[in-house]
Amino acid sequence: QVRLVESGGGLVQSGGSLRLSCAASGTLYTTDHMHWYRQSPGKEREMVAEIVAAGETRYADSVKGRFTLTGDRLKGTVYLQMNELKFEDTGTYYCKRTSGHVGYWGQGTQVTVSS
């Protein structure tokens, strides 16, 4: 079992920045991947950024150049630095850890960007 806890969400003006944190605990494997997803009002949950076991970091086109995923995947602590925030970045942000075919989700943290 893996437990994920996110933090760092809040209210920010358009153009501002926030840094989200995710801490994973439990049984962690070197082959696990870690991801950030978000669910905006009226939309499906979408992948925002991820770091995979091979070390590659990927981003959704909508956040490239503005968001940066850092941290230590092996230790289970990752961060999402979000700069130049836009109104459309508003949503609940979830951290996910994928271990084989099993995905573990955090409870989510709300990000609200005022226009």
Side-chain angles (χ1 to χ4, degrees), residues 38-52:
R38 73 181 174 198
Q39 187 156 19
S40 302
K43 296 185 179 180
E44 294 186 355
R45 193 173 296 189
E46 61 174 345
M47 191 279 291
V48 174
E50 63 183 4
I51 182 166
V52 298

Side-chain angles (χ1 to χ4, degrees), residues 27-104:
T27 303
L28 308 179
Y29 297 97
T30 58
T31 52
D32 292 350
H33 312 310
M34 290 195 74
H35 325 260
W36 282 101
Y37 280 73
R38 73 181 174 198
Q39 187 156 19
S40 302
K43 296 185 179 180
E44 294 186 355
R45 193 173 296 189
E46 61 174 345
M47 191 279 291
V48 174
E50 63 183 4
I51 182 166
V52 298
E56 181 184 1
T57 305
R58 305 166 184 160
Y59 300 92
D61 288 342
S62 60
V63 306
K64 280 181 182 177
R66 301 188 298 120
F67 290 13
T68 304
L69 191 160
T70 59
D72 191 325
R73 179 185 58 83
L74 299 179
K75 293 184 178 179
T77 304
V78 293
Y79 308 94
L80 186 66
Q81 177 67 41
M82 306 186 294
N83 298 328
E84 301 175 36
L85 282 162
K86 304 175 181 180
F87 175 75
E88 49 265 39
D89 294 318
T90 294
T92 303
Y93 283 70
Y94 298 91
C95 182
K96 178 185 179 183
R97 189 168 181 99
T98 303
S99 184
H101 297 290
V102 181
Y104 301 93

Side-chain angles (χ1 to χ4, degrees), residues 2-40:
V2 174
R3 181 171 180 258
L4 299 162
V5 179
E6 304 103 329
S7 61
L11 173 65
V12 64
Q13 288 187 333
S14 179
S17 299
L18 280 176
R19 187 188 191 219
L20 306 183
S21 300
C22 174
S25 60
T27 303
L28 308 179
Y29 297 97
T30 58
T31 52
D32 292 350
H33 312 310
M34 290 195 74
H35 325 260
W36 282 101
Y37 280 73
R38 73 181 174 198
Q39 187 156 19
S40 302

